[in-house]
Amino acid sequence: MAFHKVDYTKENGLPVVLTTVDKLVQWGRSNSLWAMSYGLACCAMEMMAAGGGRFDFDRFGTIFRASPKHSEVMIIAGTLTKKHAEFTRRLYDAMPEPKWVISMGSCANTGGMFNTYATVQGVDRVIPVDIYLPGCAPRPETLQYALMILQKKIRKETPRRKQKVKRVV
Amino acid sequence: MRRDRFKKDTTAKNYYEDRFYVAPQSPKFDVLGSKFEDDLKALDGLVLNSYVEFDQMVVFVDKNDNLKALEKLKEFGYEILSELSGVDFIHQRGGIEVFYQLLSIKHKRRARVKCFVKNGEFLQSATSLYKSANWAERELYDMMGVWIENHPNLKRILMPDDWYGHPLLKSYPLHGDEAAKWYEVDKIFGREYRDIVGEENRDSAFIDSKDTFNFSRIYHETEYGGVEPSEAYLQEYQEKGGVPFIKHATRDKFKILKKRR
Ligand code: SF4
């Protein structure tokens, strides 16, 4: 049968998927989140486990990158000290827009048990955080869930519009 | 009259007694007559005080003689400086007691050289004798504020270079001083952002239930400053209707695995 004679309305429908560009872009974005590996303390072990074979972050399209220039999500796993805060901010600034941040563990969220002179009491004091992940240390599943929530959040955003200014603290 | 039974209330007693257990001093023995006798003799004339404690020789020397003492002990066989730090006696005696923990593999012995550095005095660096003194002395300076003379690179090692104060001093507040409180904000955003970022929340368990900006009711979560939804919703991973190629997972359709594969 000649190609032009196929009546798509009669067969199994049109071989066409209709979507908006926005949705397509955001779907692509949400499923290829390259994470900047930013392990600072014990939580980083859980993050490594999440990247490993059993939990397998790769199936979410999430690959850990060592360079901020290739990453769109920063997973801060561990205790952020004041000496380190400056570098965290610098790395965050080096990431291209749009970018998101997952704060992993009590230390990153609130300083955790380290209520001392040298620990930043929550990374949201220096960079804006999208997802707070409770626990000390959170299990790899929790990190996966946080990532899935972040994917959902990204899919809700509009890619063409300017992103809302994120607040610090 | 009823008998007063609370006379012997031990909880009330605490206010009149030292309620902290003071550990007894460890036994100390004379060096003469012990296996450290030769080591002590090698240090002729330098020792102010000495004893054997926990099978280790402890000698006190003048702070200006620290290098001489260490050199002699090194010649004698103490070839490793395993630890170097200080003890804060500023309140009691106006200075810091610095100790050098030495190890002799040849003789299978440990010894400690102690000296007292008054506030504002300099201590000679032991880097020329022991390589490990380099970082240890930097730490001593960083955390306790002891000035070291002739050190090749005397700058902070744990704290940032522009840190104010020396955190291991007993007078240093645990949560840091005013400078520590604003350190990261001042450094990253500048002083003028103090008001915007605000003070550190030091009580991580503190929740203000009236604060609807930072906390929202469970299942009514919104973005910062957003309007609370009137209807509760459970946080699901996917949007209603699902995402292409991925099966929609719902909360009530779970499966309990009987055994691991
Ligand atoms: S939250 Fe707990 S596990 Fe994570 S870095 Fe802090 S202390 Fe370690």
Side-chain angles (χ1 to χ4, degrees):
Chain A
M1 195 170 12
F3 187 73
H4 66 272
K5 291 209 174 137
V6 180
D7 188 356
Y8 287 114
T9 48
K10 274 199 188 127
E11 303 295 320
N12 258 336
L14 296 163
V16 175
V17 178
L18 290 179
T19 183
T20 57
V21 175
D22 279 17
K23 268 204 179 139
L24 191 68
V25 169
Q26 290 308 65
W27 174 77
R29 243 178 212 173
S30 70
N31 285 306
S32 63
L33 284 173
W34 286 7
M36 163 143 200
S37 59
Y38 201 63
L40 296 167
C42 4
C43 275
M45 304 299 151
E46 304 294 322
M47 186 173 75
M48 283 148 70
R54 176 176 289 209
F55 299 98
D56 196 13
F57 251 13
D58 289 9
R59 70 200 155 101
F60 294 93
T62 301
I63 297 165
F64 284 107
R65 298 292 312 197
S67 153
K69 308 251 158 65
H70 303 159
S71 320
E72 45 244 318
V73 51
M74 193 180 206
I75 303 174
I76 301 188
T79 323
L80 184 70
T81 58
K82 296 201 173 173
K83 187 173 184 174
H84 211 117
E86 189 194 346
F87 314 131
T88 309
R89 178 75 211 191
R90 206 183 295 161
L91 288 170
Y92 176 79
D93 287 342
M95 280 161 60
E97 293 273 0
K99 52 194 169 189
W100 299 274
V101 175
I102 296 176
S103 157
M104 180 180 182
S106 306
C107 285
N109 294 343
T110 65
M113 68 184 114
F114 305 108
N115 195 355
T116 62
Y117 56 88
T119 308
V120 176
Q121 302 295 308
V123 291
D124 49 8
R125 285 178 67 73
V126 292
I127 56 175
V129 175
D130 293 277
I131 308 274
Y132 295 91
L133 179 51
C136 173
R139 298 259 315 139
E141 295 97 320
T142 328
L143 179 56
Q144 278 186 351
Y145 188 57
L147 190 95
M148 285 151 82
I149 299 266
L150 181 65
Q151 286 184 326
K152 182 179 169 186
K153 186 182 150 111
I154 292 167
R155 287 197 289 263
K156 277 202 292 188
E157 281 169 6
T158 339
R160 284 166 301 141
R161 294 229 186 85
K162 216 171 151 246
Q163 284 209 321
K164 250 193 270 171
V165 178
K166 288 177 187 167
R167 81 196 172 105
V168 168
V169 175
Chain B
M1 207 176 83
R2 226 172 68 204
R3 226 173 83 231
D4 184 4
R5 289 159 64 217
F6 296 101
K7 274 260 163 60
K8 280 185 187 155
D9 188 353
T10 41
T11 52
K13 251 169 121 186
N14 284 342
Y15 290 98
Y16 307 106
E17 286 179 6
D18 180 10
R19 53 177 141 164
F20 299 109
Y21 170 71
V22 180
Q25 288 276 308
S26 50
K28 297 184 173 65
F29 307 103
D30 200 354
V31 183
L32 298 175
S34 73
K35 62 179 174 184
F36 293 105
E37 205 172 328
D38 297 340
D39 312 27
L40 190 67
K41 285 202 178 119
L43 290 171
D44 54 316
L46 295 172
V47 181
L48 303 174
N49 185 14
S50 67
Y51 49 80
V52 177
E53 185 186 20
F54 293 128
D55 205 23
Q56 291 181 39
M57 180 179 70
V58 182
V59 291
F60 286 85
V61 298
D62 190 86
K63 79 154 189 47
N64 297 320
D65 293 339
N66 68 336
L67 281 191
K68 270 190 231 153
L70 287 173
E71 198 167 5
K72 286 202 170 139
L73 284 174
K74 193 181 180 188
E75 274 165 22
F76 196 79
Y78 288 96
E79 63 272 86
I80 296 175
L81 175 71
S82 58
E83 177 67 59
L84 181 174
S85 192
V87 187
D88 179 348
F89 282 115
I90 290 176
H91 182 62
Q92 295 99 318
R93 284 150 63 197
I96 282 164
E97 195 177 79
V98 176
F99 65 85
Y100 300 84
Q101 183 73 34
L102 301 170
L103 168 67
S104 164
I105 290 180
K106 197 163 128 202
H107 302 301
K108 304 192 190 70
R109 282 178 205 166
R110 287 177 194 273
R112 199 178 306 146
V113 178
K114 286 190 166 192
C115 58
F116 192 77
V117 186
K118 283 225 171 71
N119 267 357
E121 284 183 347
F122 278 80
L123 183 70
Q124 283 296 324
S125 168
T127 339
S128 50
L129 289 169
Y130 295 104
K131 283 262 157 57
S132 70
N134 191 325
W135 279 23
E137 276 170 353
R138 275 178 69 184
E139 191 186 344
L140 181 64
Y141 158 67
D142 185 2
M143 302 315 263
M144 323 265 319
V146 179
W147 285 92
I148 313 282
E149 213 171 346
N150 295 332
H151 190 280
N153 184 22
L154 189 68
K155 58 176 199 152
R156 287 185 184 270
I157 187 165
L158 294 173
M159 305 310 295
D161 288 333
D162 54 354
W163 193 260
Y164 184 81
H166 301 283
L168 274 195
L169 293 180
K170 282 180 183 165
S171 52
Y172 193 83
L174 177 66
H175 289 172
D177 51 15
E178 184 68 19
K181 188 158 107 186
W182 295 108
Y183 179 82
E184 73 276 23
V185 175
D186 284 4
K187 183 118 183 168
I188 294 170
F189 304 106
R191 235 160 192 286
E192 59 277 20
Y193 276 82
R194 280 187 181 189
D195 288 341
I196 295 167
V197 179
E199 235 179 80
E200 283 170 333
N201 179 8
R202 283 286 179 181
D203 183 0
S204 51
F206 177 78
I207 288 176
D208 184 357
S209 58
K210 305 271 178 331
D211 177 0
T212 50
F213 263 116
N214 292 300
F215 303 100
S216 49
R217 286 183 295 148
I218 288 185
Y219 301 137
H220 289 80
E221 291 92 347
T222 52
E223 283 166 22
Y224 179 73
V227 189
E228 251 188 34
S230 53
E231 264 180 58
Y233 68 94
L234 284 176
Q235 180 68 46
E236 294 279 359
Y237 154 52
Q238 283 170 17
E239 302 85 322
K240 279 262 144 41
V243 185
F245 308 128
I246 299 171
K247 216 175 131 200
H248 185 61
T250 46
R251 209 169 271 267
D252 45 337
K253 285 200 190 106
F254 57 86
K255 192 171 176 182
I256 294 174
L257 293 178
K258 295 248 168 52
K259 78 179 210 310
R260 259 184 200 283
R261 264 192 290 164

